[in-house]
């Protein structure tokens, strides 16, 4: 049986990541740390819509409003959902703010920032400091998963079966560690390599495990899934 890779990304993205992990020759083991649910969304007048995640793009009906997406993956999701005018920033919130500052005029109207519940405050503050009026609206809610799936639980209980875990956000990293601790499996982290999509995510995964430690922690050189999976590589 191929070595297992734990995927903590929430659905529906987890299934896509699992297909890519399997194509690399690993055994994907789904363990979404969060459960996403769209929220009712009103469309106030704005000069552009800012999307910080693929989950936000999935949660919204298409609109003619211009879209600035945090990165190429979110931009592709927005286009697939029917948004016609989409540009991509370089992959994180700071790059999105920079892109907005270069291409938009604060005098042309407010920016509509669609985020998950509890997210986006720092980005909104950054944009306001650049002179923009920001309308921050919740597009979806993310709740902690109640428990590890049975397949993930069984795989983690078998010594050496799970060799790596993929982390996509600080919150999902923290929630994943809560699930491991609740199952009495936190010490299994010493056998796994934590692959994090960004330094912030790596820090969250490390802090949430303390005083225990991962076998190793590796950080993608770009904050996107392609770079994360490149660290995993083919088996």
């Amino acid at each position: 049986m191929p070595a297992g890779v734990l995927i903590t990304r929430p659905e529906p993205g987890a299934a896509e990541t699992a297909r890519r992990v399997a194509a690399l020759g690993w055994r994907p083991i789904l363990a979404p740390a969060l459960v996403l649910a769209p929220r009712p969304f009103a469309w106030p007048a704005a000069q552009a819509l800012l999307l910080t995640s693929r989950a936000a793009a999935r949660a919204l009906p298409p609109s003619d409003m211009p879209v600035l997406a945090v990165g190429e993956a979110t931009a592709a999701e927005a286009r697939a959902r029917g948004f016609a005018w989409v540009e991509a920033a370089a992959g994180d919130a700071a790059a999105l703010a920079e892109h907005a500052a270069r291409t938009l005029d604060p005098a042309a109207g407010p920016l509509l920032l669609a985020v998950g519940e509890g997210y986006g405050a720092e980005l909104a503050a950054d944009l306001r400091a650049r002179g923009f009026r920001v309308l921050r609206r919740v597009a979806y809610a993310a709740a902690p998963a109640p428990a590890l799936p049975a397949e993930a639980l069984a795989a983690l209980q078998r010594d050496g079966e799970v060799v790596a875990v993929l982390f996509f956000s600080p919150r999902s990293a923290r929630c994943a560690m809560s699930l491991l601790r609740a199952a009495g499996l936190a010490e299994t982290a010493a056998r796994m390599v934590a692959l994090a999509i960004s330094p912030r995510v790596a820090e969250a995964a490390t802090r949430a495990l303390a005083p225990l430690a991962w076998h190793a922690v590796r950080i993608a050189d770009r904050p996107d899934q392609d770079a994360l999976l490149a660290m995993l590589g083919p088996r």
Side-chain angles (χ1 to χ4, degrees), residues 39-231:
R39 288 287 184 88
F41 192 87
W43 288 91
Q47 65 166 309
L49 169 67
L50 273 60
L51 296 175
T52 60
S53 68
R54 297 177 67 181
R58 292 188 191 102
L60 300 179
S63 162
D64 293 333
M65 189 177 293
V67 173
L68 298 187
V70 68
E72 291 293 346
T74 299
E77 188 70 40
R79 295 184 189 106
R81 297 284 164 168
F83 291 92
W85 192 100
V86 183
E87 290 186 357
D92 59 20
L96 182 55
E98 289 285 350
H99 191 88
R102 285 196 311 270
T103 59
L104 301 175
D105 181 359
L111 305 180
L112 176 58
L113 177 57
V115 296
E117 187 175 44
Y119 293 95
E122 290 182 6
L123 174 57
D126 188 349
L127 291 164
R128 288 175 182 133
R130 298 170 188 265
F132 290 98
R133 182 183 172 210
V134 180
L135 307 175
R136 181 166 159 259
R137 299 291 185 268
V138 173
Y140 66 94
L148 287 169
E151 181 189 6
L153 186 63
L156 288 163
Q157 289 170 335
R158 291 191 285 268
D159 188 24
E161 186 166 327
V162 182
V163 299
V165 55
L166 303 181
F167 290 122
F168 287 79
S169 75
R171 188 179 179 200
S172 63
R174 291 190 292 268
C175 289
M177 295 318 305
S178 293
L179 294 175
L180 280 176
R181 289 188 186 281
L185 293 169
E187 292 185 357
T188 63
R191 305 194 296 265
M192 293 186 283
V193 176
L195 303 179
I197 203 167
S198 73
R200 287 185 63 206
V201 175
E203 180 182 10
T206 301
R207 286 181 177 273
L209 183 59
L212 302 176
W214 299 96
H215 177 71
V217 178
R218 298 174 62 193
I219 302 170
D221 59 12
R222 300 185 315 277
D224 60 43
Q225 180 172 237
D226 288 345
L228 185 65
L229 294 179
M231 289 195 299

